[in-house]
Amino acid sequence: MALAAAMLLLPLAVLAQGLQYRLQVNAPGDLDELLEKNLDLQRFRGNPRMNREQLQRMVRTAPEQAKTLLATAGYYSPVVSARLEEAGTPTVVIDVDPGQPTLVGSVEIVLNGFASTPASPFDKDALRASWTLPEGAVFRQDEWEQAKRAILRSVVQTRYPRAQLTESLATVDPDTRRALLRVVLESGPEMRFGELRIEGLKRYPASVVSNLNQIKPGDYYSEAALQAYQSRLQDTGYFASVEVSADLNAILSEQMDAAEEKREGAPPPAAIAPLPLLVRVIENKRKNVSAGVGLSTNTGARTTLNYDDLNVFGLRLKSALTLEQKKQTARGDFYFPTTADGYNDSFGAAVERRDIEGEVTRSASVNAKRAWGTPLLERSISIEYLNESKTVAGAASSHAQSLPLTYAVTWRKLDNLIFPTKGYVLNATAGGALLPVLTDELFVRATARGITYRPLNVKSTVILRAELGVLGSRNKAGVPATYLFRAGGDNSVRGYAYQELGVRQGEATVGGRYLATASAEYQYWFKPEWGAAVFYDAGNAADSLTNIHPKSGYGVGARYKSPVGPINVDFAYGHAVRKMRIHFSLGFTF
């Protein structure tokens, strides 16, 4: 009975699935994928209502539908045939000879109303040069649409936010296989920023917002300026949410006034009145406590306790207790609100214990710092008093103190600060303990670090990194170990333990006067979020230039673009120690 019931139900199941058939597209390049994804023959496969008559109808209409799809890829004179092969499982075969693609013949970009004076320059030539579908390129419909959106977007982000694309025309000549393009942009009125308005402040003074504002009344409207201001406010830590915009209510009011004047016969204004700069904020809680656990391939398991208070006598307190296997730190820092001149002043104190490669150091420090600049060019000057005791491989401990002054500068030119693929970052420091005040040994110290990203194509990038350090003093013994140099670890020479490379002293490794490291890495992104890397690192630290014998490490790694930054997992072989190590890092440290 069960077998008989199954035999009766089998035709019904086949009928419910509809007529089954295969689709085979014979087309060069990636055109087969274009057709397979978009033809009705593919979309209706497996449809329970599909029958032989409907299949034959779609086979007859398939060539015209294919020609329409091929036109979007720049092929306007293709030869397409379709046939149904009945043997076995029915198979629909689409044969495509696309012919020669249609190329862009000429591009006419008309810019109406875009004023340019010595006092108010507007580079029309640069705007035209930014057009992404140039003469000689294959004319594809999606790239045509993208090019129009891109040029309009580049205009509305500047002082002409009401610019419009009033005409766009692509005339295709099938005989010459050329597409003649014409685009007309109307600028609309210029817009300038006006006064600053702040909404949402309750706990903190308005200077917290206004002192970070680099947009002056009368400046031309710029989305980039708005985004940069918003980013600066978000980075302060005072706010859970920040929105920076031009006051849209002012825009609407101006539009209504202009419409009323037009009805009364008055000429339209050449420019709109300055737009108020509106900042809406939601403040963070004044006090915040957080805890976390983690793991570092440099310093081992980690437990962290943080306490922040955003208003301690008008200052912002950030404090943290961090317990790691190789390092334990407690520190607290007070930050003044950014001044009207753009200076960020802070002071703080810290105590730390480190046990690395046989050298145990205990230190206490107090410091003061002034920082200023932009993400593209950051500068700072700091002074720190450090009191340190050191024990090397069980020997008697030594003591050192120092009061160095340090100047630092960082240059950034990256396409993306979180996921860089092109550009560079350079950092340099210079300073030292130059006066015999709270200092056991006078010294000068300088460092230089650099990283550059060089894309080979859309999926491949070469990353080059280097670091140099030098310290000059009469005697090394009186210089705190904190200011000497070591190498090795996640962001140094991979394949070696954290700060494993340096000067051998008995059974321990200690810091040296000189440092030199370099790295070359090739990344390939086989998916937008996932990539792989191969790399070669080399470097060392020593007490003299002649004693720097670079140790090499090399290996492979995996890359993932997480929401908080790139995650890097590397498997590196240290050639000098003949060991394989795993290195884990988040983002790029600079």
Side-chain angles (χ1 to χ4, degrees):
M1 286 294 292
L3 178 61
M7 294 180 66
L8 288 173
L9 291 174
L10 182 60
L12 295 177
V14 173
L15 183 60
Q17 294 179 355
L19 178 64
Q20 300 298 305
Y21 62 89
R22 295 174 55 244
L23 175 62
Q24 178 182 329
V25 178
N26 301 319
D30 56 359
L31 297 178
D32 54 349
E33 183 178 354
L34 170 68
L35 298 179
E36 288 174 356
K37 286 183 177 180
N38 295 283
L39 283 172
D40 288 343
L41 285 163
Q42 177 66 26
R43 291 169 52 208
F44 287 97
R45 282 184 62 195
N47 190 297
R49 297 186 178 182
M50 176 60 69
N51 55 38
R52 189 168 298 277
E53 180 180 353
Q54 290 172 329
L55 176 60
Q56 291 173 340
R57 179 182 59 80
M58 283 195 291
V59 171
R60 290 193 298 270
T61 60
E64 287 303 317
Q65 187 183 18
K67 290 179 180 179
T68 301
L69 292 169
L70 292 168
T72 66
Y75 297 91
Y76 285 84
S77 303
V79 176
V80 183
S81 63
R83 66 183 185 275
L84 177 62
E85 296 181 351
E86 301 281 0
T89 301
T91 301
V92 179
V93 180
I94 309 291
D95 293 313
V96 177
D97 179 3
Q100 295 298 315
T102 296
L103 305 180
V104 176
S106 64
V107 179
E108 181 184 7
I109 300 176
V110 180
L111 304 174
N112 293 330
F114 293 88
S116 183
T117 65
S120 173
F122 185 88
D123 196 338
K124 296 182 181 181
D125 292 336
L127 181 62
R128 291 189 174 96
S130 69
W131 179 255
T132 59
L133 191 59
E135 183 175 348
V138 176
F139 177 75
R140 296 183 175 91
Q141 188 65 34
D142 58 342
E143 295 182 6
W144 164 236
E145 297 298 330
Q146 291 172 9
K148 290 188 291 183
R149 288 195 296 268
I151 195 169
L152 180 60
R153 183 170 59 249
S154 66
V155 171
V156 299
Q157 290 177 343
T158 64
R159 69 197 200 210
Y160 296 105
R162 294 176 63 187
Q164 293 183 346
L165 191 66
T166 57
E167 182 183 346
S168 64
L169 182 64
T171 305
V172 177
D173 186 343
D175 296 331
T176 61
R177 294 191 297 275
R178 292 293 185 271
L180 309 181
L181 309 183
R182 174 180 167 84
V183 172
V184 179
L185 281 168
E186 298 285 347
S187 69
E190 291 181 339
M191 285 188 178
R192 296 176 183 263
F193 289 114
E195 63 180 4
L196 175 65
R197 298 178 182 175
I198 305 170
E199 297 180 1
L201 280 179
K202 297 177 181 178
R203 300 185 181 95
Y204 312 119
S207 60
V208 170
V209 175
S210 61
N211 285 352
L212 289 171
N213 180 24
Q214 298 179 359
I215 301 173
K216 307 302 180 185
D219 286 354
Y220 283 115
Y221 176 90
S222 167
E223 280 194 19
L226 294 174
Q227 293 170 0
Y229 185 22
Q230 180 169 304
S231 178
R232 288 193 295 272
L233 290 172
Q234 288 172 332
D235 290 343
T236 64
Y238 285 104
F239 308 112
S241 173
V242 179
E243 179 187 353
V244 179
S245 64
D247 193 341
L248 296 180
N249 290 329
I251 295 177
L252 295 175
S253 177
E254 184 68 26
Q255 288 176 333
M256 293 175 63
D257 291 343
E260 184 64 28
E261 291 177 0
K262 185 176 181 180
R263 283 195 295 270
E264 295 176 358
I272 288 181
L275 298 175
L277 181 59
L278 181 60
V279 176
R280 293 188 177 96
V281 299
I282 298 176
E283 297 174 327
N284 268 328
K285 295 179 180 179
R286 176 182 165 181
K287 299 179 181 180
N288 182 60
V289 178
S290 63
V293 295
L295 178 67
S296 167
T297 48
N298 271 346
T299 51
R302 177 177 61 251
T303 301
T304 305
L305 178 64
N306 298 292
Y307 172 74
D308 295 348
D309 191 323
L310 297 177
N311 194 357
V312 180
F313 301 108
L315 306 181
R316 179 186 176 196
L317 167 65
K318 293 191 67 173
S319 61
L321 174 64
T322 304
L323 304 178
E324 300 172 284
Q325 288 177 283
K326 296 183 179 181
K327 183 170 64 173
Q328 300 84 45
T329 307
R331 70 173 303 116
D333 293 285
F334 290 90
Y335 296 86
F336 291 86
T338 302
T339 69
D341 295 326
Y343 291 109
N344 296 285
D345 298 324
S346 63
F347 65 91
V351 292
E352 183 176 82
R353 180 187 182 276
R354 299 159 64 101
D355 185 355
I356 297 174
E357 297 297 318
E359 181 183 63
V360 179
T361 60
R362 298 174 178 84
S363 63
S365 64
V366 293
N367 66 86
K369 181 178 180 181
R370 164 164 283 193
W372 66 97
T374 69
L376 301 180
L377 176 58
E378 292 182 1
R379 287 165 287 182
S380 68
I381 187 167
S382 60
I383 187 169
E384 177 184 43
Y385 171 70
L386 179 72
N387 193 308
E388 178 187 272
S389 64
K390 177 176 67 174
T391 303
V392 179
S397 63
S398 60
H399 174 269
Q401 65 175 346
S402 188
L403 185 66
L405 181 72
T406 302
Y407 175 79
V409 58
T410 300
W411 298 268
R412 292 185 181 89
K413 189 176 181 181
L414 298 171
D415 58 342
N416 189 300
L417 293 178
I418 300 178
F419 299 106
T421 60
K422 182 180 181 180
Y424 63 85
V425 183
L426 298 174
N427 171 265
T429 69
L434 306 177
L435 299 175
V437 178
L438 299 176
T439 298
D440 292 339
E441 180 66 32
L442 304 183
F443 68 87
V444 293
R445 187 177 188 270
T447 67
R449 294 184 296 159
I451 186 170
T452 179
Y453 295 80
R454 300 186 177 184
L456 302 180
N457 51 51
V458 176
K459 294 185 176 182
S460 302
T461 304
V462 171
I463 303 173
L464 304 175
R465 172 171 51 86
E467 182 174 8
L468 300 172
V470 57
L471 180 139
S473 66
R474 289 184 178 180
N475 298 302
K476 176 182 171 183
V479 179
T482 301
Y483 302 126
L484 299 174
F485 300 105
R486 296 190 190 193
D490 301 341
N491 296 296
S492 181
V493 183
R494 287 164 287 189
Y496 299 86
Y498 178 58
Q499 296 192 353
E500 179 182 8
L501 302 177
V503 178
R504 295 296 297 177
Q505 184 173 326
E507 297 297 320
T509 299
V510 300
R513 296 173 182 265
Y514 298 92
L515 170 73
T517 68
S519 172
E521 178 170 314
Y522 171 78
Q523 291 184 352
Y524 179 79
W525 296 90
F526 49 87
K527 289 187 177 181
E529 296 85 13
W530 290 95
V534 294
F535 57 85
Y536 181 89
D537 299 346
N540 208 341
D543 277 337
S544 67
L545 292 175
T546 56
N547 287 332
I548 290 187
H549 304 294
K551 308 298 184 183
S552 61
Y554 40 84
V556 299
R559 303 290 181 263
Y560 173 66
K561 291 183 179 179
S562 75
V564 294
I567 295 177
N568 313 303
V569 180
D570 294 318
F571 299 87
Y573 179 75
H575 184 77
V577 294
R578 301 186 182 279
K579 291 182 180 179
M580 179 71 72
R581 284 188 174 274
I582 298 178
H583 296 273
F584 173 86
S585 61
L586 173 64
F588 73 101
T589 302
F590 222 88

